[in-house]
């Protein structure tokens, strides 16, 4: 009789554990990470984002930056069900020098959203786009600067956007020279 109870207990325990693991896996499937090249879509969404971010202040800051200084950042853009931009995110933990150069304002976010108004290939998803800005004259990257920017790449998404599909875009390397 004890063997029957032990067997029933083990079966019940197994079912309980399996049902909890199964629920956790199903919940995690709501967020999909899909690394793709933007060229597989009809429109390379990276270019309008870069265009909105290439402000004179950012470019001048990079030209005047100490030798081997780089700016590494990411932009996340949330699209609604019809493919319109909901929210534009920058990391809240950017280095002070990068934040001063980029000036991630509401105006810049609006400019990015406007530049993406014709993009309809992303629906109910968030794209994350890493960008490396470097001075074309510099031959090296400062390890400390790169590491500090790397640690602050991930923006904090709203609760709604955390449940959307996440698409990681291929990183973009933007060289900057004195003539912009």
């Amino acid at each position: 009789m004890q063997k029957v109870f032990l067997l029933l207990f083990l079966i019940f325990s197994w079912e309980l554990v399996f049902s909890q693991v199964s629920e956790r896996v199903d919940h995690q499937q709501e967020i999909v990470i899909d690394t793709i090249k933007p060229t597989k879509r009809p429109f390379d969404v990276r270019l309008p984002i870069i265009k909105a971010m290439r402000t004179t202040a950012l470019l001048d800051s990079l030209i005047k930056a100490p030798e081997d200084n780089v700016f590494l950042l990411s932009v996340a853009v949330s699209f609604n069900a019809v493919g319109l931009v909901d929210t534009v995110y920058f990391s809240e933990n950017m280095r002070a020098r990068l934040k001063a150069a980029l000036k991630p304002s509401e105006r810049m976010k609006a400019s990015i959203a406007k530049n993406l108004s014709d993009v309809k290939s992303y629906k109910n998803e968030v794209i994350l786009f890493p960008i490396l800005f470097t001075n074309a004259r510099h031959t090296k990257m400062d390890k400390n600067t790169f590491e500090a920017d790397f640690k602050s790449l991930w923006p904090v998404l709203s609760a709604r956007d955390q449940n959307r599909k996440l698409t990681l875009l291929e990183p973009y390397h933007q060289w900057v020279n004195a003539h912009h």
Side-chain angles (χ1 to χ4, degrees), residues 2 11 18 31 46 62 78 82 99-100 107 127 162 172:
Q2 286 180 337
I11 291 172
F18 183 76
I31 300 173
R46 300 175 309 166
L62 191 55
S78 169
V82 293
K99 191 176 275 190
R107 183 176 175 192
I127 61 170
Q162 289 176 9
Y172 194 88

Side-chain angles (χ1 to χ4, degrees), residues 7-17:
L7 182 63
L8 287 174
F9 176 75
L10 289 174
I11 291 172
F12 176 74
S13 298
W14 179 256
E15 280 296 315
L16 180 65
V17 168

Side-chain angles (χ1 to χ4, degrees), residues 6 18 30 48 58 71 73 84 121 125 141 144 159 165:
L6 181 62
F18 183 76
E30 294 175 16
L58 175 68
F71 294 143
L73 63 126
L84 297 174
S121 55
E125 63 186 290
M141 288 185 212
N144 296 329
K165 177 182 175 182

Side-chain angles (χ1 to χ4, degrees), residues 79-93:
F79 293 89
N80 65 18
V82 293
L84 297 174
V85 174
D86 255 352
T87 312
V88 176
Y89 298 95
F90 292 100
S91 173
E92 296 173 5
N93 300 321

Side-chain angles (χ1 to χ4, degrees), residues 32-89:
V32 178
I33 298 176
D34 184 18
T35 305
I36 62 165
K37 288 188 174 187
T39 54
K40 292 183 180 177
R41 304 255 182 170
F43 180 75
D44 188 350
V45 71
R46 300 175 309 166
L47 301 178
I49 295 172
I50 288 285
K51 182 180 177 183
M53 295 177 63
R54 281 182 51 109
T55 64
T56 303
L58 175 68
L59 301 178
D60 286 346
S61 293
L62 191 55
I63 294 300
K64 294 174 184 171
E67 185 72 24
D68 305 331
N69 199 347
V70 297
F71 294 143
L72 176 64
L73 63 126
S74 66
V75 180
V77 181
S78 169
F79 293 89
N80 65 18
V82 293
L84 297 174
V85 174
D86 255 352
T87 312
V88 176
Y89 298 95

Side-chain angles (χ1 to χ4, degrees), residues 146-168:
F146 186 86
E147 185 178 319
D149 287 352
F150 183 77
K151 288 179 181 178
S152 66
L153 270 178
W154 199 262
V156 177
L157 303 177
S158 69
R160 178 193 68 224
D161 288 336
Q162 289 176 9
N163 291 322
R164 290 186 171 163
K165 177 182 175 182
L166 177 63
T167 301
L168 300 175

